[in-house]
Amino acid sequence: MVVSGIKDSLKQQGVRLTRQRKILLDLIDQSGQHLDAERLFTLAREKDPKLNRVTVYRTLKLLKAGGLVDELDLMHHDGDQHYYETRLKQEHAHVICLRCGKIEEFFGDLLKKMRQQIETHFGFEIVLSRTEVGGYCSHCQALRAKELTDAPMVEPSATTGRARHPRSQ
Amino acid sequence: MVVSGIKDSLKQQGVRLTRQRKILLDLIDQSGQHLDAERLFTLAREKDPKLNRVTVYRTLKLLKAGGLVDELDLMHHDGDQHYYETRLKQEHAHVICLRCGKIEEFFGDLLKKMRQQIETHFGFEIVLSRTEVGGYCSHCQALRAKELTDAPMVEPSATTGRARHPRSQ
DNA sequence: GTTAGTGCAAACCTTTTGCAGCTCT
DNA sequence: AGAGCTGCAAAAGGTTTGCACTAAC
């Protein structure tokens, strides 16, 4: 469980561990998913209905600044929001299916090697990095071929509806 | 010059090559920089003061959907806007200095290899990908060390002002 | 008791949409 | 002529800020 380490890390910086932050930290760490602010807010509200959206943003900012979570864009496959994950595992790329939204994580020594090459080549000090890959998963490749065959003359519109999570209230 | 190829590509899709689009296409291609919508808008206005910001967004969306430009986030080092570059060169990573904003481009076969690994490993069809690296360039590493020494007890505030380009009018 | 953190409302930045009129082919 | 494109105004989506009140240490 990484969250306890995060809590220690925060305490040592004189950051107060409030009830709200405990809730958010636990959620980020336990979910195992890539949560955006809104999703995190919804989940947090189930535990504390008074918790404000702003607190979610402020906590995420804090964690990001402290290098405790990483911010992802996931190719903006579902809007322009950011996603977050605890910085625990070894470096990895995110592979996003642009059709179904499924996210795979790709580990490998290539990322590590590239990091080293960049640091050496530019004399650069890397603080954070991310690799995101968009395309079609094996499942959706077949479905897409079918879709294109069914309507061969019609370009799939860029404005095709995407299921978004509306803000309640 | 890549822009002529883009223009051909658009024409063949029945996309009209309007005065506004010509201006924008030329700017994106010639600048050699990573422009965001607002910067592109400002530059375009110098050539056509009537050109609207919305047209910039619509043109960028069109080019992106056609795979003619790539959208970058550049680690959001200066806000949440997107940046654009013509998809011409071989695949490369962007290396962004979080202090001075300088952007380096890193080429190498590692990216190509990783692409292949991901396609093989997941049976994934990659459409686009990006690797962004944030940190400190060699120049800023020294300056930062100095800054931290000068004010050793003060964490550099996350809210430290960033010079943004305000919208004229 | 202090200082940091919260909630609320309101602002902010970036991007998208609806619609009437214009223009490329 | 007619579909496609533009400009304008307005809205939307995502995030941040100001301020008075509250709670962690």
Side-chain angles (χ1 to χ4, degrees), chain B residues 15-16 18 20-21 50-52 54-55 58 80 159:
Chain B
V15 173
R16 289 184 187 167
T18 61
Q20 292 90 332
R21 287 182 180 163
K50 292 289 181 56
L51 195 149
N52 195 277
V54 173
T55 300
R58 284 195 276 232
D80 284 355
T159 55

Side-chain angles (χ1 to χ4, degrees), chain B residues 20-21 23 61 65 69-70 85-86 111 135 137 141-142 155 160:
Chain B
Q20 292 90 332
R21 287 182 180 163
I23 292 174
K61 192 172 190 173
V69 302
D70 281 316
E85 66 178 6
T86 51
L111 282 166
C137 70
Q141 281 170 42
E155 275 297 303
T160 293

Side-chain angles (χ1 to χ4, degrees), chain A residues 28 31 33-40 57 60 64 69-87 94 96-97 101 103 105 130 132 162-165, chain B residues 73 76 80 130:
Chain A
I28 295 174
S31 85
Q33 306 168 48
H34 303 101
L35 301 175
D36 63 7
E38 194 62 20
R39 181 106 186 81
L40 184 54
Y57 280 105
L60 287 173
K64 185 175 59 162
V69 302
D70 281 317
E71 190 177 70
L72 311 172
D73 293 295
L74 300 184
M75 282 296 178
H76 305 296
H77 71 291
D78 188 37
D80 285 355
Q81 68 281 69
H82 298 138
Y83 300 85
Y84 299 87
E85 67 179 6
T86 51
R87 184 184 284 187
H94 291 96
I96 302 102
C97 178
I103 296 162
E105 311 206 320
R130 66 177 169 232
E132 300 186 339
R162 300 182 289 193
R164 304 284 290 275
H165 40 69
Chain B
D73 292 297
H76 306 297
D80 284 355
R130 66 180 169 233

Side-chain angles (χ1 to χ4, degrees), chain A residues 15-60:
Chain A
V15 173
R16 291 182 188 170
L17 195 48
T18 62
R19 178 175 43 83
Q20 291 90 332
R21 286 181 180 163
K22 274 180 207 151
I23 292 173
L24 294 171
L25 252 42
D26 286 339
L27 283 172
I28 295 174
D29 193 52
Q30 286 168 20
S31 85
Q33 306 168 48
H34 303 101
L35 301 175
D36 63 7
E38 194 62 20
R39 181 106 186 81
L40 184 54
F41 173 59
T42 303
L43 293 174
R45 276 221 155 170
E46 292 173 8
K47 300 199 175 184
D48 176 358
K50 292 290 180 55
L51 194 149
N52 197 276
R53 181 180 282 117
V54 174
T55 299
V56 174
Y57 280 105
R58 284 195 277 232
T59 301
L60 287 173

